[in-house]
Amino acid sequence: MAKRGRILAAAMAFGMALSVPVSAQQVYEFRVDGGDEALAKALRGASLVLAARNDKVTDPQELFSSAQAEYGRIVGALYAKGYYSPVVSVRIDGREAADIPPIDVPPRIERIEVSVAPGLPFTFSRADVAPLADGTKMPDGFRVGERAESELIKAAVTAGVDGWRAIGHAKAEPSGQTIVADHARQALAAQVTLAPGPRLRFGPLTVEGQERMKLRRILKIAGLPEGEVFDPEELRRAAERLRRTGVFKSVSLTEDEAITAPDLLGITATVVEEKPRRFGFGAELASLDGLDLTGYWMHRNLLGGAERLRVEGEISNIGAQSSGVDYELGITLDRPATFTPDTTVGLSFDLAHLNEEDFDADIVTAGINAQHYFSDTLTGRGALEYTAANITDVAGRFDYRHLSLPVGLTWDRRDDKLDATRGFFLDAEVRPFQGFGFTDSGMRAFVDARAYRNLSRGDRPFVLAGRVQAGAVFGSSLLGTPRDYLFYSGGGGTVRGHPYQSLGVNVLRSAGATQYTTGGQAFLAASVEARAMVTQSIGVVGFVDAGHVGALDFFEGVNDWHAGAGLGLRYATGFGPIRLDVAAPVGGTTGDGIQIYVGIGQSF
């Protein structure tokens, strides 16, 4: 006679079956008699037998091991859904797998049958975790009358323990439990007792595994507040600060088992260092704008204190039809945990030669900067920069010299920086500048806002993505504003379908001089994309972009706009999607014909 929990009972009201022959000699059958399709899908997902079928396992010993372990996997999956009186049978060529001795594994297995009778779902007749710290929030559904899913009990216990840990009781743990299933009533009574333990303070941080990194700098970067009340969030942030340096391949912070009298809890950081040097490169191609190549070389730990030296260069507009080739070289040296554990201070030096359609420029910028991490998603930055630029256009040569104080905030709540499906991104910066000589003084402001929403509930997202960019220059004249502070539109970063920086404003440098194009002091651009994955790796995109440039402000008469639209393909890779966009102008006069854009990552 079959036993409850492992042998098939009488068939219930309805059944769902899956039978797929792998070969002429081997057949798998998985049947669920009762429940609904969602339960059947969960059970199939938990099945080791079906996993072996999918992996095309043929070895009898492996198949036998999967079959014997199937009972526990299926029962666990049923408990997770609130079914506590199941009957499960796993038969190997007609024999119950649980009854076959391990030393009597069949030399050949032709058929494996899994049969599940879930029974009726249970509800909570009691749902109690106590005592709880003030403010502890129990998971939704952990209450009398709700489906008694075992995962809810685990989540409730975890929430209770986390509630005590959040106010300093680091050693909080379950101290007892009573869980009773009433099969006659299909009810489950769950009672768990917690032991909060004493309220503790952070003890000293011990570090293991460092090689080139200086111990005092690790302690400084971690910023663990020794002597203050234990807080798991502080522990998490300390680990994140160490990871953020890029010096370490892995970082783990563990709490000591023992408490140091009277109430100190020591922490051990175990780190594994990365190789100190790294390099990388990238490329992006547009049919009219040409090829952009980027590359960098970086030393992660220059002086043993996580000082990051980075040298990066870019050659852009190679083969562009409307401008020459641009060259840029930048050198930065950053030091984390300067002033505070969350503040990085750095030095920067940049050289650039721009060969644009309407002007040539040689630009040198040197500065000191700081970045502060307010949280995982919010960062602030500030800098003091001096820039010298020599500009040559049809009206002659002009020298711009200015000192700027850029201050910005970045709020990044995207789920994936290269392929976001939900969340938002907001970057805002104001840049007051003091001009010298020919250069005026004023302020430049710029905002980049993006939002993403996944409209699909399946495993193939359908995402609506939107972007708005806006910028303005205040206080300076159009011709007295540093040329690289003015705004243009067109190209892959603003309006696809129109050539790079093709939209500006037409001005005269002096009476009778030749008219030429320069950037404007007001800029607005918007983009909308619909992104759909048609397979697990291939997606399609439809998009519309529009841009506006004003000479002095958004609404004065000297301004223009343009728009573009197109379709794109995406191919998902482990490092972000490969992007191919084809766009054409649908408004304005700055574009003509089709443009193609190729790159890595979504367009925004």
Side-chain angles (χ1 to χ4, degrees), residues 199-472:
R199 196 169 190 229
L200 302 176
R201 295 180 297 138
F202 280 116
L205 177 63
T206 302
V207 181
E208 298 177 352
Q210 77 276 20
E211 297 175 6
R212 293 170 292 271
M213 189 73 173
K214 297 175 182 176
L215 176 60
R216 62 178 181 81
R217 286 291 295 154
I218 294 178
L219 299 178
K220 176 70 174 177
I221 293 168
L224 203 65
E226 185 175 345
E228 295 186 11
V229 174
F230 174 87
D231 184 348
E233 178 62 18
E234 284 290 346
L235 200 64
R236 187 197 64 79
R237 292 187 66 185
E240 181 57 30
R241 292 184 190 112
L242 292 171
R243 295 187 187 104
R244 199 164 56 210
T245 65
V247 172
F248 304 108
K249 185 181 302 183
S250 67
V251 175
S252 64
L253 267 62
T254 55
E255 305 158 23
D256 288 356
E257 290 291 333
I259 299 171
T260 302
D263 59 354
L264 295 180
L265 182 64
I267 306 295
T268 298
T270 304
V271 298
V272 178
E273 294 185 11
E274 288 272 16
K275 294 180 179 179
R277 297 169 185 82
R278 180 182 179 184
F279 69 91
F281 62 91
E284 187 163 338
L285 177 66
S287 56
L288 294 183
D289 303 338
L291 176 66
D292 294 348
L293 298 176
T294 59
Y296 72 89
W297 176 90
M298 179 177 67
H299 197 298
R300 308 173 193 267
N301 190 18
L302 187 65
L303 304 174
E307 299 86 0
R308 177 180 296 189
L309 175 66
R310 183 182 176 101
V311 181
E312 55 188 328
E314 179 177 0
I315 305 175
S316 55
N317 300 333
I318 301 171
Q321 298 184 23
S322 59
S323 65
V325 179
D326 297 341
Y327 304 91
E328 294 186 46
L329 176 66
I331 302 174
T332 59
L333 178 62
D334 295 326
R335 182 179 187 269
T338 302
F339 305 128
T340 80
D342 289 309
T343 304
T344 297
V345 173
L347 301 172
S348 63
F349 181 79
D350 296 281
L351 291 171
H353 173 75
L354 307 180
N355 187 352
E356 305 298 335
E357 182 177 6
D358 302 306
F359 69 93
D360 291 340
D362 292 301
I363 305 172
V364 179
T365 301
I368 181 171
N369 55 77
Q371 184 174 28
H372 186 79
Y373 295 86
F374 296 102
S375 70
D376 293 340
T377 59
L378 182 64
T379 60
R381 63 185 183 275
L384 180 64
E385 297 177 349
Y386 178 78
T387 301
N390 298 323
I391 307 294
T392 303
D393 58 27
V394 295
R397 178 186 172 93
F398 302 90
D399 295 331
Y400 291 90
R401 305 286 185 270
H402 67 277
L403 191 68
S404 64
L405 186 66
V407 177
L409 279 174
T410 301
W411 193 10
D412 191 348
R413 296 292 299 273
R414 295 173 294 181
D415 59 337
D416 186 326
K417 289 179 172 53
L418 288 177
D419 191 13
T421 60
R422 63 180 183 273
F424 63 86
F425 171 89
L426 178 65
D427 184 82
E429 180 182 272
V430 293
R431 182 182 289 262
F433 58 91
Q434 174 66 50
F436 305 102
F438 174 79
T439 311
D440 290 342
S441 298
M443 183 177 73
R444 184 184 194 267
F446 184 76
V447 174
D448 183 357
R450 313 171 193 180
Y452 310 86
R453 183 166 185 179
N454 184 5
L455 302 181
S456 171
R457 295 187 177 181
D459 56 356
R460 297 179 185 174
F462 177 76
V463 178
L464 288 182
R467 182 184 192 183
V468 174
Q469 301 176 79

Side-chain angles (χ1 to χ4, degrees), residues 499-539:
Y500 175 68
Q501 293 193 350
S502 56
L503 181 62
V505 296
N506 296 321
V507 299
L508 294 174
R509 176 77 65 173
S510 60
T514 303
Q515 179 175 275
Y516 69 101
T517 301
T518 186
Q521 289 187 295
F523 166 71
L524 185 64
S527 298
V528 176
E529 288 193 351
R531 306 170 181 171
M533 295 299 295
V534 295
T535 71
Q536 292 296 329
S537 58
I538 298 176

Side-chain angles (χ1 to χ4, degrees), residues 582-601:
V582 179
V586 295
T589 61
T590 59
D592 183 19
I594 299 295
Q595 294 208 51
I596 299 173
Y597 304 86
V598 179
I600 296 176

